[in-house]
Structures are given as structure tokens and as C-alpha cells.
Amino acid sequence: MSYQSLPALYPVFLDVSGLPCLVVGGGPVASRKVSGLVGAGAAVRVVSPDAAPELAALAGAGRVTWERRRYAPGDARGHALVFACTGVPEVDAAVAAEARGLGLWVNVAGAPELGNMILPAVHRAGSLTLAISTGGMSPSLARALRDRLAAVLETAVTELTTGMRFALPASEGDRCRPSDGGAWRLPREEEGL
Ligand SMILES: C[C@@]1(CC(=O)O)c2cc3[nH]c(cc4nc(cc5[nH]c(cc(n2)[C@H]1CCC(=O)O)[C@@](C)(CC(=O)O)[C@@H]5CCC(=O)O)C(CC(=O)O)=C4CCC(=O)O)c(CCC(=O)O)c3CC(=O)O
Ligand SMILES: NC(=O)C1=CN([C@@H]2O[C@H](COP(=O)(O)OP(=O)(O)OC[C@H]3O[C@@H](n4cnc5c(N)ncnc54)[C@H](O)[C@@H]3O)[C@@H](O)[C@H]2O)C=CC1
């Protein structure tokens, strides 16, 4: 594991709509990154000799550009975000070096210390987004926590968006705000995470 080399990371939510993004590799991991990017409206270009079924389907539907070949130096130029997902150490390292040399943000799925961004486990519920990172220490823990918290949030958000049956006037600090600007807090049951 390479987590020991990751410094403290700064969390941020990006607007990637229309943003040129490069994904090198076409396996299941690349496919997951591509799905997330496409879901957020990014302009995704994939460079890989082959593609996982879900990724091939996105390419077939014209939702991503797929160049069916190996990575070549120069590919990163013109992109804002770069994802190295080949699992081939020398290829991922070359992609990362090129991207970092160009001052770009780069994620290296199999060797995060080579890049300068990592992805959290994500859950969306309307305009609420839950994103959890363990700083690279345990991706499967991030995923498990996401799943656990997502179940709690589904209940809370449903209550908040359907009449706020359980929402109480704020008394111990604001936890959320309804559209009229008033302050609400969740009941204690919902806080028992
Ligand atoms: C550093 C990071 C870099 C990055 O990819 O950004 C990274 C790296 C690595 N992941 C590895 C393994 C697995 N990762 C997953 C799943 C996910 N991994 C994700 C993120 C991250 N993974 C970033 C840190 C996140 C954090 O800060 O916690 C999630 C949350 C989001 C996403 O991928 O989009 C996504 C949940 C998707 C979802 O369900 O939504 C599973 C499957 C599972 O558990 O379902 C396994 C196999 C089980 C296991 O080993 O745990 C390995 C070892 C590889 C090997 O051994 O070959 C490395 C390399 C290393 O650690 O060196
Ligand atoms: N971040 C995460 O969530 C996880 C990361 N990983 C790591 O992610 C990496 C990729 O995992 P998988 O998708 O399962 O691997 P995979 O082996 O299924 O896919 C690799 C892809 O890269 C392509 N590829 C190989 N050489 C290439 C080159 N020179 N140029 C362009 N494309 C090339 C292959 O054709 C294939 O499409 C591995 O390092 C793995 O350890 C693994 C599990 C989860």
C-alpha cells in the first residue's frame, strides 16, 4: 500500500461540465471514473486498446470519445483532469509525470502517491452529495461507510423533502435550512449514526 506517502488532502467539489478530461485505460476502474465524469457532464476522452462493457457502451452511444490505442506521450495536453487507470506501473507513471509536468490534476488509481488527487466514495441524494475519503488508507472502508451513511441520509432527506415530518425548530445549532430560510435540525434519532 502506498497511503503512507499521501499528504493531508484538501477536499473540493468541482464543476466539470464541459471540462476536457483524459482517462487512460479501459478496465473496470477506468469505467467507474468515466461514469462519474460523464454523470457530471465532463467531456471525456478515453485512450485504451480495449474497454469494459459499460465503457464501450458509453463510447458506442457517443457520450465519450474512445481512442482505441495505447497511451502516447502528448496525450495529456489540452485536458484539465487526467486519470491513469492502466495498472501498468510504467504507463501510469508516465501519464502522471506528463500531467504533473503540464500542471494538471492527475489521479493514479493504482499508485495514488504518483498523482495529486484521489476520488472519494460518493452518494447523491438530490442536491445533497456525500463524499468520503480515508486519505487513501482504506478505499473499501470509505465505500462501506458511504453505504452505511447513505442509508441514514435516505431516510433523513426523504423526511426533509416530504413535509419535514421529523424536522424540529433549531435550538442547538442549524443542521439544515428549508427553502423559507428558517433553520431546522434533525431529530436525535437521525443523529445516531
Ligand atoms: C487512493 C484511491 C485512488 C483513486 O482511485 O482515486 C484508491 C486506490 C486504491 N483502491 C484499491 C482497491 C479498491 N478500491 C475499491 C473501490 C473504490 N476505491 C475508491 C477510491 C480510491 N481508491 C482512492 C482512495 C479513496 C479513499 O481516500 O479512501 C472509491 C472510493 C472511489 C472510486 O474509485 O471512484 C471506490 C468505491 C467505489 C464505489 O463503490 O462507489 C475497491 C472495491 C470496493 O471496495 O468496492 C477495491 C478492492 C478492495 C480493496 O483492496 O480495498 C487499491 C488496491 C488495488 C490493488 O490491490 O491492486 C488502490 C491502490 C492503493 O491503495 O495503493
Ligand atoms: N481506485 C480504485 O478504485 C481501484 C484501483 N485499482 C487499481 O486500478 C488499476 C486498474 O484496475 P482495473 O481496471 O481492474 O485493471 P484492468 O487490468 O482490468 O484494466 C487496465 C486497462 O488499461 C488498459 N491499458 C493497459 N496498458 C495500456 C496503455 N499502455 N495505454 C492505455 N491503456 C492501457 C488495458 O487495456 C485495460 O483496459 C490497477 O492499478 C488496480 O490496482 C483496483 C481496484 C480499485
Side-chain angles (χ1 to χ4, degrees), residues 1-3 6 9 29 32-33 107-113 117-122 132-143 146-147:
M1 289 293 283
S2 39
Y3 56 81
L6 288 186
L9 300 172
V29 171
R32 189 163 67 230
K33 311 288 187 204
N107 170 256
V108 185
E113 74 284 358
M117 63 171 176
I118 62 173
L119 276 62
V122 174
I132 299 181
S133 173
T134 61
M137 288 189 72
S138 176
S140 48
L141 174 61
R143 179 188 175 161
R146 185 273 316 276
D147 291 344

Coordinates of all heavy atoms in Angstrom, one line a residue, residues 1-3 6 9 29 32-33 107-113 117-122 132-143 146-147, ligand 1:
M1 N 0.8 -1.2 0.0 CA 0.0 0.0 0.0 C 0.9 1.2 0.0 O 1.9 1.3 0.5 CB -0.9 0.0 1.2 CG -2.0 -1.0 1.2 SD -3.2 -0.7 -0.1 CE -4.2 0.6 0.7
S2 N 0.3 2.3 -0.6 CA 1.1 3.5 -0.8 C 0.6 4.6 0.0 O 1.1 5.7 -0.1 CB 1.1 3.8 -2.3 OG -0.2 3.6 -2.8
Y3 N -0.4 4.4 0.9 CA -1.0 5.5 1.6 C -0.1 6.4 2.4 O -0.3 7.5 2.7 CB -2.2 5.0 2.4 CG -1.9 4.0 3.4 CD1 -1.3 4.4 4.6 CD2 -2.1 2.6 3.2 CE1 -1.0 3.4 5.6 CE2 -1.8 1.7 4.1 CZ -1.2 2.1 5.3 OH -0.9 1.1 6.2
L6 N 0.8 9.7 1.1 CA -0.1 10.8 0.8 C -0.1 11.8 1.9 O -0.3 11.5 3.0 CB -1.5 10.2 0.6 CG -1.8 9.3 -0.6 CD1 -3.3 9.0 -0.6 CD2 -1.4 10.1 -1.9
L9 N -5.0 16.0 2.5 CA -5.6 16.4 1.2 C -6.7 17.5 1.4 O -7.4 17.4 2.4 CB -6.1 15.2 0.5 CG -5.1 14.1 0.1 CD1 -5.7 12.9 -0.4 CD2 -4.1 14.7 -0.9
V29 N -12.0 -0.2 -13.4 CA -11.7 1.0 -12.6 C -11.8 2.3 -13.4 O -12.4 3.3 -13.1 CB -10.3 0.9 -11.9 CG1 -9.9 2.2 -11.3 CG2 -10.3 -0.2 -10.9
R32 N -15.4 3.1 -14.0 CA -16.1 3.8 -12.9 C -15.7 5.3 -12.9 O -16.6 6.1 -12.6 CB -15.7 3.1 -11.6 CG -16.5 3.6 -10.4 CD -16.4 2.7 -9.2 NE -15.0 2.7 -8.6 CZ -14.3 1.6 -8.4 NH1 -14.9 0.4 -8.6 NH2 -13.1 1.7 -7.8
K33 N -14.5 5.6 -13.2 CA -14.1 7.0 -13.2 C -14.9 7.7 -14.3 O -15.4 8.8 -14.2 CB -12.6 7.2 -13.4 CG -11.7 6.4 -12.5 CD -11.6 6.8 -11.1 CE -10.6 6.1 -10.3 NZ -10.8 6.0 -8.9
N107 N -5.0 11.7 -11.3 CA -5.4 10.6 -10.4 C -4.7 9.3 -10.9 O -4.9 9.0 -12.1 CB -6.9 10.4 -10.4 CG -7.3 9.2 -9.6 OD1 -7.7 8.2 -10.2 ND2 -7.3 9.2 -8.3
V108 N -4.0 8.7 -10.1 CA -3.4 7.4 -10.4 C -4.0 6.3 -9.5 O -3.7 6.2 -8.4 CB -1.9 7.4 -10.3 CG1 -1.3 6.1 -10.8 CG2 -1.3 8.6 -11.0
A109 N -5.0 5.5 -10.1 CA -5.8 4.6 -9.3 C -5.0 3.6 -8.6 O -5.3 3.3 -7.4 CB -6.8 4.0 -10.2
G110 N -3.9 3.1 -9.2 CA -3.2 2.0 -8.6 C -2.0 2.5 -7.8 O -1.3 1.7 -7.1
A111 N -1.6 3.7 -7.9 CA -0.5 4.3 -7.2 C -0.7 5.8 -6.9 O -0.2 6.7 -7.5 CB 0.8 4.2 -8.1
P112 N -1.7 6.0 -5.9 CA -2.1 7.3 -5.7 C -1.1 8.4 -5.4 O -1.2 9.5 -5.6 CB -3.1 7.2 -4.5 CG -2.9 5.8 -4.0 CD -2.3 5.0 -5.1
E113 N 0.1 7.9 -4.8 CA 1.1 8.9 -4.4 C 1.8 9.5 -5.7 O 2.4 10.5 -5.6 CB 2.2 8.2 -3.6 CG 3.1 7.2 -4.3 CD 2.4 5.9 -4.6 OE1 1.3 5.7 -4.3 OE2 3.1 5.0 -5.3
M117 N -4.5 14.0 -6.9 CA -5.9 13.9 -6.5 C -6.4 12.5 -6.4 O -5.9 11.6 -7.1 CB -6.9 14.7 -7.4 CG -6.9 14.1 -8.8 SD -8.3 14.9 -9.8 CE -8.0 14.1 -11.4
I118 N -7.2 12.2 -5.4 CA -7.9 10.9 -5.3 C -9.4 11.1 -5.2 O -9.8 12.2 -4.9 CB -7.4 10.1 -4.0 CG1 -7.7 10.8 -2.7 CG2 -5.9 9.8 -4.2 CD1 -7.4 10.0 -1.5
L119 N -10.1 10.0 -5.5 CA -11.5 10.1 -5.5 C -12.2 9.5 -4.3 O -11.7 8.5 -3.8 CB -12.1 9.4 -6.8 CG -12.1 10.3 -8.0 CD1 -10.7 10.7 -8.4 CD2 -12.8 9.5 -9.2
P120 N -13.2 10.2 -3.8 CA -13.9 9.7 -2.6 C -15.0 8.7 -3.0 O -15.3 8.5 -4.2 CB -14.6 10.9 -2.1 CG -14.9 11.8 -3.3 CD -13.8 11.5 -4.3
A121 N -15.6 8.0 -2.1 CA -16.8 7.2 -2.3 C -17.9 8.2 -2.2 O -18.0 9.0 -1.3 CB -16.9 6.1 -1.2
V122 N -18.8 8.1 -3.1 CA -19.9 9.1 -3.3 C -21.3 8.6 -3.2 O -21.6 7.5 -3.7 CB -19.7 9.8 -4.7 CG1 -20.8 10.8 -5.0 CG2 -18.4 10.5 -4.8
I132 N -16.8 10.6 0.8 CA -16.0 10.1 1.9 C -14.6 9.6 1.4 O -14.5 8.8 0.5 CB -16.7 9.0 2.7 CG1 -18.0 9.4 3.2 CG2 -15.8 8.4 3.8 CD1 -18.7 8.4 4.0
S133 N -13.6 10.1 2.1 CA -12.2 9.6 1.8 C -11.6 9.2 3.0 O -11.8 9.8 4.1 CB -11.4 10.7 1.1 OG -10.1 10.4 1.0
T134 N -10.7 8.2 2.9 CA -9.9 7.8 4.0 C -8.4 8.3 3.8 O -7.5 7.7 4.4 CB -9.9 6.2 4.2 OG1 -9.3 5.6 3.0 CG2 -11.3 5.7 4.5
G135 N -8.3 9.2 2.9 CA -7.0 9.7 2.5 C -6.2 8.6 1.8 O -5.0 8.6 1.9
G136 N -6.9 7.7 1.2 CA -6.2 6.6 0.5 C -5.9 5.4 1.4 O -5.4 4.4 0.9
M137 N -6.2 5.5 2.7 CA -5.8 4.4 3.6 C -6.6 3.1 3.4 O -6.1 2.0 3.4 CB -5.9 4.8 5.0 CG -4.8 5.8 5.4 SD -4.7 6.1 7.2 CE -4.1 4.6 7.8
S138 N -7.9 3.3 3.2 CA -8.7 2.1 3.0 C -10.0 2.4 2.1 O -11.0 2.8 2.7 CB -9.2 1.6 4.4 OG -10.1 0.5 4.2
P139 N -9.8 2.3 0.8 CA -10.9 2.6 -0.1 C -12.2 1.7 0.2 O -13.3 2.2 0.1 CB -10.4 2.2 -1.5 CG -8.9 2.3 -1.3 CD -8.6 1.9 0.1
S140 N -12.0 0.5 0.7 CA -13.1 -0.3 1.0 C -13.8 0.2 2.2 O -15.1 0.0 2.3 CB -12.8 -1.8 1.0 OG -11.7 -2.0 1.8
L141 N -13.1 0.7 3.2 CA -13.8 1.3 4.3 C -14.6 2.6 3.9 O -15.7 2.8 4.4 CB -12.7 1.7 5.4 CG -13.3 2.5 6.6 CD1 -14.3 1.7 7.4 CD2 -12.2 3.0 7.5
A142 N -14.0 3.4 3.0 CA -14.7 4.6 2.5 C -16.0 4.1 1.9 O -17.1 4.7 2.1 CB -13.8 5.3 1.5
R143 N -15.9 3.0 1.1 CA -17.1 2.5 0.4 C -18.2 2.0 1.5 O -19.3 2.3 1.4 CB -16.8 1.4 -0.5 CG -17.9 0.8 -1.2 CD -17.6 -0.4 -2.0 NE -18.9 -0.9 -2.5 CZ -18.9 -1.8 -3.5 NH1 -17.8 -2.2 -4.1 NH2 -20.1 -2.2 -4.0
R146 N -19.7 4.9 3.3 CA -20.7 5.6 2.3 C -22.0 4.8 2.3 O -23.1 5.4 2.4 CB -20.0 5.6 1.0 CG -20.8 6.4 -0.1 CD -21.8 5.6 -0.9 NE -21.3 4.2 -1.3 CZ -20.6 4.0 -2.4 NH1 -20.2 4.9 -3.2 NH2 -20.3 2.7 -2.7
D147 N -21.9 3.5 2.2 CA -23.1 2.7 2.1 C -24.0 2.9 3.4 O -25.2 3.0 3.4 CB -22.8 1.3 1.8 CG -22.3 1.1 0.4 OD1 -22.5 2.0 -0.4 OD2 -21.7 0.0 0.2
Ligands
LIG1 C1 -6.3 6.1 -3.4 C2 -7.5 5.8 -4.3 C3 -7.1 6.4 -5.6 C4 -8.3 6.7 -6.5 O1 -8.7 5.7 -7.2 O2 -8.8 7.8 -6.5 C5 -7.7 4.3 -4.4 C6 -6.8 3.4 -4.6 C7 -6.9 2.0 -4.5 N1 -8.0 1.3 -4.4 C8 -7.8 0.0 -4.3 C9 -8.7 -1.1 -4.1 C10 -10.1 -1.0 -4.1 N2 -10.8 0.2 -4.3 C11 -12.1 -0.1 -4.4 C12 -13.1 0.9 -4.6 C13 -13.0 2.3 -4.6 N3 -11.8 3.0 -4.5 C14 -12.1 4.3 -4.4 C15 -11.1 5.3 -4.3 C16 -9.8 5.2 -4.1 N4 -9.1 4.0 -4.4 C17 -8.9 6.3 -3.7 C18 -8.8 6.5 -2.2 C19 -10.2 6.7 -1.6 C20 -10.0 7.0 -0.1 O3 -9.4 8.0 0.2 O4 -10.4 6.2 0.7 C21 -13.5 4.6 -4.5 C22 -14.0 5.0 -3.1 C23 -14.0 5.7 -5.4 C24 -13.6 5.5 -6.9 O5 -12.8 4.6 -7.3 O6 -14.1 6.2 -7.7 C25 -14.1 3.2 -4.9 C26 -15.5 2.9 -4.3 C27 -16.4 2.9 -5.5 C28 -17.9 2.8 -5.1 O7 -18.4 1.8 -4.7 O8 -18.5 3.8 -5.4 C29 -12.3 -1.5 -4.3 C30 -13.6 -2.2 -4.4 C31 -14.5 -2.0 -3.3 O9 -14.2 -1.9 -2.1 O10 -15.7 -2.0 -3.7 C32 -11.0 -2.0 -4.1 C33 -10.6 -3.5 -3.9 C34 -10.8 -3.9 -2.5 C35 -9.6 -3.3 -1.6 O11 -8.5 -3.6 -1.9 O12 -10.0 -2.5 -0.7 C36 -6.3 -0.2 -4.3 C37 -5.6 -1.5 -4.2 C38 -5.5 -2.1 -5.6 C39 -4.7 -3.4 -5.7 O13 -4.5 -4.0 -4.6 O14 -4.3 -3.7 -6.8 C40 -5.8 1.1 -4.5 C41 -4.3 1.5 -4.7 C42 -3.7 1.8 -3.4 O15 -4.3 1.9 -2.4 O16 -2.4 2.0 -3.5

